[in-house]
Each structure stands twice: as C-alpha cells, then as structure tokens.
C-alpha cells in the first residue's frame, strides 16, 4: 500500500526535522523543502498528499505559496505558524488553507490533524488525488495534467487514457485494454477513435516537451518511456 507523502514547508530546520521524525513514526513519507525560492518545483517533484505550511518564510511567505499550489492542485494544506492571530488565520483560509495549527504545538495534536485531514480527503476516493510519473502529474480531481509547473486540461477520454498509462507506468498497455477502460465508462470508442484521442493527447503533452513520453509498441500497444 502506498504511503502518504507529506511536504513540510518550514525554514526552521530544527522544527522541520522534529516534524519529519515524528510523522515518519506514523508511517508517512515526509519531505522538507530546502530551496525556498523554488517551493513549487519541490512540490511538483514530491507530489505530496498533504502540505504543512509555515507563514514566515524566506523570499515569499506561506500565503503566497499556498496560492501558487491552489493554481495547480487541491491537495490539503495545513498552516503551521506562530502567527496565529485572526488576520493570519483568515488570510490562510482565503488563500486556500484547510486548517491552522498555532506554534508552539504538541506533535500529537499535529499528527492527529494530519491523520484526520488525510482520512477526510482520501478515504472515500479509493485512490490518491494525483498520479505521477517522471515529473508528469495527473490531477484526478479535475482531469488536468501538470508538467514543470504548467497545467493543461484534458478531455474525459484523454484523461482516462493517460490515467491508465500512468497506473501501468513502465508496462505496455494494449489498445484493447484502453478501449475497454473507455467502454466501461459508457463512452463508445472504436480503434480509429482511439488513434485520434491518442494523437490529441500527445499533442497536448508536446506543448510541455513531453510528447515523446507515450511510446507506441507496434502490434502490442502503448507504454510510458523514461523521461529525461
């Protein structure tokens, strides 16, 4: 079973390490941001299920980074900050924050809030909100692909095709399997229609320089190749 990934955006290295060590005891994968000028790159690289966000950060504050995350993802964001006055809490919520923990805090309280947020967000979906492969992120919540911080909306068929390929990354998926996935979703797709949809999907990925990622295995189907 996949572990939940948590991204900690905290410039106090002592606090960041404490949070990381404690949450890892609960079985989570925890990543701490190191480059505070490029938080979105680390967000994209980690593809977290949840973000713990401080407000007072170098270069740009946590409100700014939460707003940037909300442009590309609905992943839950819990603010963890000593700036627990009403103005900062209201601003955090307005920027898309889901919860607020005021420093200093007990690690048990933070862990309980993290667990509750993850349970509310993912338990009823039966899957994570994001599929990722070599920097290509598929947002399951609103059928969009995110590559290198740029976003592209997909049609339902394009989304389902890419979803199936990502779920089987590194393996060849037959044309029949793809058509069955689309057929099961009440959308009639014949062999020619699949070719058209695949061409359109590749063209959308080409905008990001990733058109070559879907490789045709002649007579077998399609697979995702390693992306440089």
């Amino acid at each position: 079973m996949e572990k939940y990934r948590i991204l900690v955006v905290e410039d106090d290295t002592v606090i960041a390490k404490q949070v990381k060590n404690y949450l890892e005891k609960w079985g989570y994968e925890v990543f701490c941001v190191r480059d505070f000028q490029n938080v979105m790159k680390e967000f994209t690289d980690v593809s977290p299920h949840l973000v713990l966000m401080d407000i007072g950060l170098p270069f740009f504050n946590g409100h700014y980074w939460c707003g940037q995350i909300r442009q590309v993802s609905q992943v839950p964001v819990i603010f963890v900050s000593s700036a627990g006055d009403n103005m900062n809490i209201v601003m955090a919520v307005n920027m898309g924050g889901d919860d607020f923990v005021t420093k200093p805090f007990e690690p048990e309280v933070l862990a309980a809030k993290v667990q509750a947020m993850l349970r509310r967000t993912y338990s009823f979906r039966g899957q994570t909100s994001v599929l990722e492969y070599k920097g290509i992120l598929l947002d399951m919540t609103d059928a969009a692909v995110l590559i290198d911080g740029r976003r592209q909306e997909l049609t339902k068929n394009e989304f389902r095709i890419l979803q199936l390929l990502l779920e089987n990354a590194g393996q060849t998926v037959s044309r029949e399997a793809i058509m069955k996935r689309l057929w099961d979703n009440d959308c009639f797709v014949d062999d020619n229609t699949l070719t058209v949809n695949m061409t359109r999907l590749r063209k959308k990925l080409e905008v990001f320089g990733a058109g070559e990622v879907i490789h045709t295995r002649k007579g077998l189907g399609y697979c995702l190749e390693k992306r440089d």
Side-chain angles (χ1 to χ4, degrees):
M1 183 176 178
E2 182 186 20
K3 289 184 177 182
Y4 286 117
R5 295 181 300 279
I6 297 173
L7 183 66
V8 178
V9 190
E10 166 65 69
D11 63 318
D12 186 319
T13 56
V14 174
I15 294 177
K17 186 175 181 180
Q18 288 175 342
V19 170
K20 175 180 170 66
N21 291 341
Y22 189 82
L23 292 179
E24 284 179 341
K25 292 179 181 178
W26 285 70
Y28 302 121
E29 280 191 276
V30 184
F31 304 84
C32 298
V33 167
R34 295 183 178 182
D35 184 356
F36 290 93
Q37 281 186 290
N38 295 292
V39 171
M40 287 307 295
K41 182 183 185 306
E42 298 199 33
F43 174 84
T44 301
D45 290 343
V46 172
S47 182
H49 298 92
L50 181 143
V51 176
L52 295 177
M53 179 75 70
D54 189 15
I55 292 178
L57 297 168
F59 305 108
F60 301 97
N61 65 27
H63 296 140
Y64 170 84
W65 289 120
C66 185
Q68 292 296 298
I69 289 171
R70 281 292 168 262
Q71 291 183 30
V72 299
S73 174
Q74 292 303 310
V75 65
V77 176
I78 299 178
F79 278 87
V80 184
S81 176
S82 56
D85 57 277
N86 288 340
M87 181 178 295
N88 272 296
I89 293 175
V90 170
M91 188 175 295
V93 172
N94 287 340
M95 294 306 293
D98 297 281
D99 204 345
F100 200 105
V101 176
T102 303
K103 296 176 183 175
F105 56 85
E106 293 296 329
E108 295 86 355
V109 173
L110 179 63
K113 283 183 173 286
V114 166
Q115 187 178 40
M117 185 65 67
L118 290 170
R119 185 172 60 248
R120 287 200 302 271
T121 306
Y122 301 108
S123 290
F124 302 105
R125 294 184 183 176
Q127 59 187 0
T128 62
S129 63
V130 176
L131 285 175
E132 188 274 340
Y133 178 76
K134 302 296 181 182
I136 298 173
L137 282 78
L138 185 65
D139 189 338
M140 308 292 287
T141 60
D142 59 0
V145 64
L146 176 71
I147 303 176
D148 298 332
R150 292 182 292 167
R151 184 183 186 86
Q152 173 67 60
E153 303 295 329
L154 302 176
T155 66
K156 288 183 179 179
N157 281 352
E158 293 164 354
F159 167 76
R160 289 165 181 158
I161 291 169
L162 187 55
Q163 178 186 4
L164 186 57
L165 292 175
L166 286 167
E167 288 172 348
N168 296 275
Q171 304 176 45
T172 299
V173 181
S174 68
R175 293 177 66 88
E176 292 75 16
I178 297 175
M179 286 190 285
K180 184 177 186 302
R181 168 67 67 91
L182 299 179
W183 177 266
D184 286 346
N185 284 278
D186 301 321
C187 179
F188 175 73
V189 176
D190 58 18
D191 198 68
N192 183 61
T193 306
L194 175 58
T195 300
V196 171
N197 277 274
M198 190 64 74
T199 300
R200 288 175 178 169
L201 176 58
R202 279 176 165 149
K203 285 183 177 179
K204 287 188 176 181
L205 295 178
E206 280 175 7
V207 174
F208 305 103
E212 80 293 342
V213 73
I214 300 177
H215 182 69
T216 301
R217 300 290 299 276
K218 194 169 182 180
L220 297 175
Y222 303 93
C223 68
L224 296 182
E225 292 290 286
K226 184 177 181 180
R227 186 170 179 244
D228 295 331

